[in-house]
Amino acid sequence: MNDDMETEPMVSFGPSSNYVGSNNQQRRRRPAGSKPEKPRRQNSFSRDIGHAAAETYLITRLTFTLLRYLGLGYRWISRLVALGCYAMLLLPGFLQVAYYYFFSSQVRRSVVYGDQPRNRLDLHFPTNNDGPKPVVVFVTGGAWIIGYKAWGSLLGRQLAERDIIVACLDYRNFPQGTISDMVKDVSQGISFVFNNIADYGGDPNRIYLMGQSAGAHISSCALLEQAVKESTGESISWSASHIKYYFGLSGGYNLLNLVDHCHNRGLYRSIFLSIMEGEESLPVFSPAVRIKDPSIRDASSLLPPIILFHGTSDYSIPSDASMAFADALQKVGAKPELVLYPGKSHTDLFLQDPLRGGKDDLFDHIIAVIHANDKEALAKDAMAPPRKRLVPEPLLRMARLISPF
């Protein structure tokens, strides 16, 4: 498809109705007259440099962990070279985002939400604190192996510019943990946000959940599992029905259909099954399969409205994955909306398009949903300047051509 042409996303499945959470949601209160805590710079310059070095070490270690499990055959050597070239082409944008992440006073890094080593989250704050803000909990992708909270920095920065707090969750990756550990960590992180975000200026009655790629799979598993617990009367620390909306970006929701596809893409079957705790666990961690189980039918009514975004030229996880999940949700009475972007790849929606700046249909759609009932915010959105371009167009076009994703 010609990248010069503006394309409107194809939309199917259901109305995009605004979801109103329960008025019974208990909200933590501050003493009368107190104001939300201002995000503040928590580290000195030297400590910021040290933190940057530690984060770089972690990213490098994750890369070598991935290579150790995947092996160094021709396929992965060629992909590694392509990944290096891809990253170099996008480096002008990555450097700007990295500077923001490590040195901006609007970012609070590595807030502890649990007792595991990776139980940390980053908070991205708007520049003003004039009242409680809506909150997006974001779960990043990474093939279940190299997911990391800093991957959400670009999204966090751009949503914060529209008066939205973003909490980017980290979680145990393989081989630190397997899929059940990842789902447990994400659920615990969501619980932390629900029970503590008011202390950071967020509105616990306006929390949205979003996942990208493997993060969309993990977060949808956590959401469905919580709805099942809620429907059976189990003790819970957060409520699936109190999530305002769920946004799934380029996710895979049926592991049974992904085994061979991922194998052919280089995530070999033996590794995939190790991550997912064996072949017998694939249906358990496949939301598109599990939602059809008659024994959990009551859980579907507790799910929030769900919007699934996918590019039709996504070869990492084909758009059929979102189409099938939307169809399964609709059949059990949930509220899905499917948005397909013609010609968009796995990384176009999450990386290249945001780095391009200007108009972004995906970003605009998410903002419109979050601010749907806030006339003042919608008016500000209408007057907002175009988003800044971070990478020159020729570099973006070359990066798209050589992307290994």
Side-chain angles (χ1 to χ4, degrees):
M1 175 173 286
N2 188 342
D3 287 339
D4 289 325
M5 296 176 62
E6 286 281 340
T7 58
E8 289 296 321
M10 298 186 299
V11 183
S12 62
F13 286 110
S16 178
S17 56
N18 296 322
Y19 179 73
V20 180
S22 169
N23 291 328
N24 294 324
Q25 171 73 8
Q26 294 299 311
R27 181 174 164 187
R28 298 183 61 174
R29 298 185 179 277
R30 302 182 190 84
S34 67
K35 294 183 178 180
E37 175 184 335
K38 267 191 176 180
R40 60 184 182 273
R41 193 172 183 79
Q42 79 248 33
N43 295 321
S44 67
F45 181 78
S46 61
R47 289 187 65 187
D48 279 343
I49 293 294
H51 191 91
E55 303 280 297
T56 302
Y57 168 75
L58 176 59
I59 293 169
T60 304
R61 186 164 60 83
L62 289 173
T63 301
F64 280 102
T65 299
L66 174 64
L67 292 175
R68 186 173 77 248
Y69 275 88
L70 296 177
L72 286 174
Y74 168 78
R75 178 186 294 177
W76 275 102
I77 290 176
S78 62
R79 285 178 182 265
L80 184 62
V81 170
L83 178 61
C85 294
Y86 176 80
M88 287 300 296
L89 289 168
L90 299 181
L91 190 60
F94 290 163
L95 289 175
Q96 294 176 70
V97 175
Y99 184 84
Y100 156 80
Y101 178 70
F102 287 115
F103 302 110
S104 172
S105 62
Q106 303 309 124
V107 181
R108 184 160 182 177
R109 298 185 305 275
S110 296
V111 176
V112 177
Y113 70 78
D115 56 6
Q116 295 297 324
R118 298 289 294 275
N119 288 176
R120 306 288 187 271
L121 60 84
D122 295 328
L123 292 170
H124 300 258
F125 295 100
T127 55
N128 68 74
N129 63 338
D130 55 351
K133 307 293 185 185
V135 181
V136 171
V137 180
F138 180 67
V139 185
T140 187
W144 303 276
I145 298 175
I146 57 169
Y148 186 52
K149 57 189 172 65
W151 303 163
S153 299
L154 178 57
L155 178 73
R157 172 183 172 179
Q158 293 181 336
L159 288 178
E161 290 173 352
R162 298 298 185 90
D163 273 357
I164 298 167
I165 294 175
V166 181
C168 294
L169 302 185
D170 206 4
Y171 53 90
R172 283 172 286 176
N173 285 200
F174 184 80
Q176 278 183 307
T178 54
I179 186 61
S180 61
D181 300 312
M182 301 177 204
V183 173
K184 179 181 178 181
D185 286 354
V186 166
S187 184
Q188 191 171 357
I190 298 169
S191 175
F192 177 90
V193 173
F194 262 104
N195 291 290
N196 295 276
I197 201 61
D199 296 336
Y200 297 94
D203 186 347
N205 294 314
R206 289 189 292 166
I207 294 178
Y208 301 78
L209 178 60
M210 180 177 181
Q212 186 264 340
S213 191
H217 167 250
I218 297 166
S219 57
S220 62
C221 285
L223 181 65
L224 181 56
E225 177 63 21
Q226 201 70 6
V228 171
K229 290 180 179 179
E230 193 173 346
S231 68
T232 58
E234 288 188 42
S235 176
I236 55 175
S237 59
W238 64 278
S239 172
S241 61
H242 290 153
I243 295 284
K244 294 287 285 182
Y245 263 86
Y246 174 77
F247 304 121
L249 175 57
S250 307
Y253 309 99
N254 186 340
L255 299 179
L256 298 167
N257 292 340
L258 284 179
V259 179
D260 293 335
H261 177 79
C262 288
H263 179 84
N264 293 332
R265 297 280 299 174
L267 184 57
Y268 303 125
R269 184 182 182 89
S270 59
I271 300 171
F272 189 90
L273 292 178
S274 295
I275 296 170
M276 303 307 169
E277 303 175 2
E279 200 157 356
E280 66 280 358
S281 294
L282 297 183
V284 177
F285 294 103
S286 295
V289 175
R290 194 180 180 199
I291 194 68
K292 300 175 185 177
D293 185 347
S295 68
I296 65 166
R297 182 168 293 275
D298 291 344
S300 61
S301 64
L302 298 174
L303 293 173
I306 293 172
I307 307 180
L308 305 176
F309 303 97
H310 222 119
T312 61
S313 293
D314 187 336
Y315 301 114
S316 294
I317 301 178
S319 57
D320 289 352
S322 289
M323 294 169 67
F325 190 30
D327 183 61
L329 287 165
Q330 190 177 53
K331 287 179 178 176
V332 297
K335 309 178 187 74
E337 180 184 352
L338 175 67
V339 183
L340 298 177
Y341 294 90
K344 296 295 186 181
S345 70
H346 195 66
T347 54
D348 277 337
L349 297 173
F350 186 64
L351 271 180
Q352 283 98 276
D353 287 352
L355 290 171
R356 180 172 283 113
K359 180 176 173 55
D360 183 336
D361 289 333
L362 171 64
F363 180 80
D364 291 344
H365 194 144
I366 291 171
I367 292 294
V369 171
I370 295 174
H371 287 162
N373 294 321
D374 188 337
K375 291 183 178 179
E376 183 178 347
L378 289 172
K380 287 182 180 179
D381 293 338
M383 300 297 293
R387 292 185 304 159
K388 179 184 175 184
R389 176 184 284 277
L390 301 180
V391 177
E393 187 63 25
L395 296 184
L396 287 170
R397 289 178 181 273
M398 285 190 283
R400 192 180 195 277
L401 289 174
I402 67 170
S403 171
F405 302 106

